[in-house]
Amino acid sequence: MHPKEERTYLMVKPDGVRKGLIGEIIKRIEQRDLKIVALEMFKPTYDQIDSHYPKDEAWVKRLGSKTLNTYNKYGFDPMTEVGTSDEMEIGKKVRGWLLDYMTSAPLVKMIIQGIHAVDVVRKIVGPTMPATAEMGTVRGDFSIDSPVLANKEKRAVMNLVHASETPEEALHEIEYWFGKTSAVCEYKRFGVDE
Ligand code: CMP
């Protein structure tokens, strides 16, 4: 594969769509000389989102343990908040909050192509937790959500976008959301491809 052909997958999440940030996010990707080769707004089904997020025990437990740590750190009793202090049980609840959040409004999905597309898009987006994301990143400029607030309100952290973490995850997510024969649009970007 030519280095310019690395691809990643990005989804504008419900809060990104409802805050009117679709254009801003696209702008930041394009101004970095990355190329959008597929783009669609759609309303996902609950099942589609359910299969998008991992279901394995380790992933669910990690989600539970992060939430448990947040409750402990900020002095909230998990029993009072969610009726259990078991990592797996809490993880399942958080996963449920995540599915509710992700199906609460339309999403915008896209395939982005270019040099180091996976890493550069993650830099543009910023780290998972908006409250600690640097200014200059999408999350750091347009959100201040944090797990302490989200977990207290029994909902997922709203962080505007999803972006694949690795090239392998990108391949998987592109195939999952756009199909095996993904209808990508080939074209030459001025100053990038010629
Ligand atoms: P993302 O990294 O795209 O995929 C997992 C999502 O779970 C993450 O974005 C957040 O929306 C959400 N999330 C991660 N950690 C927590 C947490 N501790 N509490 C609530 N939601 C979380």
Side-chain angles (χ1 to χ4, degrees):
M1 187 190 71
H2 190 281
K4 285 184 184 174
E5 288 169 4
E6 181 172 314
R7 285 180 183 163
T8 192
Y9 177 76
L10 180 142
M11 255 186 318
V12 183
K13 292 182 174 183
D15 51 327
V17 171
R18 295 185 60 202
K19 279 185 164 178
L21 291 173
I22 301 167
E24 180 68 36
I25 291 163
I26 290 174
K27 184 191 117 204
R28 288 175 181 222
I29 292 163
E30 290 198 307
Q31 81 184 8
R32 193 70 201 268
D33 277 349
L34 287 166
K35 183 159 72 171
I36 294 169
V37 294
L39 176 70
E40 188 189 335
M41 179 182 258
F42 70 109
K43 184 88 178 73
T45 65
Y46 197 83
D47 284 352
Q48 275 179 312
I49 295 293
D50 189 29
S51 306
H52 166 77
Y53 286 108
K55 288 187 169 116
D56 59 278
E57 197 178 316
W59 195 86
V60 178
K61 254 193 172 161
R62 195 155 56 91
L63 212 50
S65 113
K66 282 194 285 184
T67 302
L68 200 53
N69 289 341
T70 304
Y71 285 144
N72 290 335
K73 184 172 171 189
Y74 293 94
F76 297 117
D77 175 14
M79 290 305 289
T80 314
E81 299 300 321
V82 281
T84 172
S85 56
D86 178 77
E87 280 180 354
M88 191 64 192
E89 287 309 307
I90 298 179
K92 283 184 196 162
K93 280 183 197 286
V94 179
R95 197 176 181 283
W97 300 340
L98 190 52
L99 303 190
D100 290 341
Y101 157 51
M102 290 297 289
T103 51
S104 64
L107 307 173
V108 175
K109 62 181 176 182
M110 56 190 99
I111 304 173
I112 300 157
Q113 182 172 311
I115 297 167
H116 305 305
V118 172
D119 288 344
V120 175
V121 166
R122 286 187 69 84
K123 267 197 182 162
I124 291 170
V125 166
T128 305
M129 298 305 167
T132 51
E134 287 292 327
M135 285 172 286
T137 64
V138 171
R139 287 168 176 155
D141 285 349
F142 297 105
S143 172
I144 195 162
D145 203 19
S146 106
V148 64
L149 185 62
N151 296 168
K152 183 71 190 155
E153 293 180 346
K154 300 182 186 57
R155 59 168 178 78
V157 171
M158 294 191 274
N159 56 5
L160 305 170
V161 258
H162 164 82
S164 307
E165 266 182 61
T166 61
E168 295 70 37
E169 190 177 280
L171 277 177
H172 170 77
E173 293 183 343
I174 287 169
E175 190 176 317
Y176 180 72
W177 287 106
F178 282 92
K180 242 190 168 56
T181 51
S182 323
V184 299
C185 296
E186 301 287 355
Y187 60 100
K188 288 193 194 307
R189 274 282 304 263
F190 286 123
V192 177
D193 296 317
E194 57 186 26

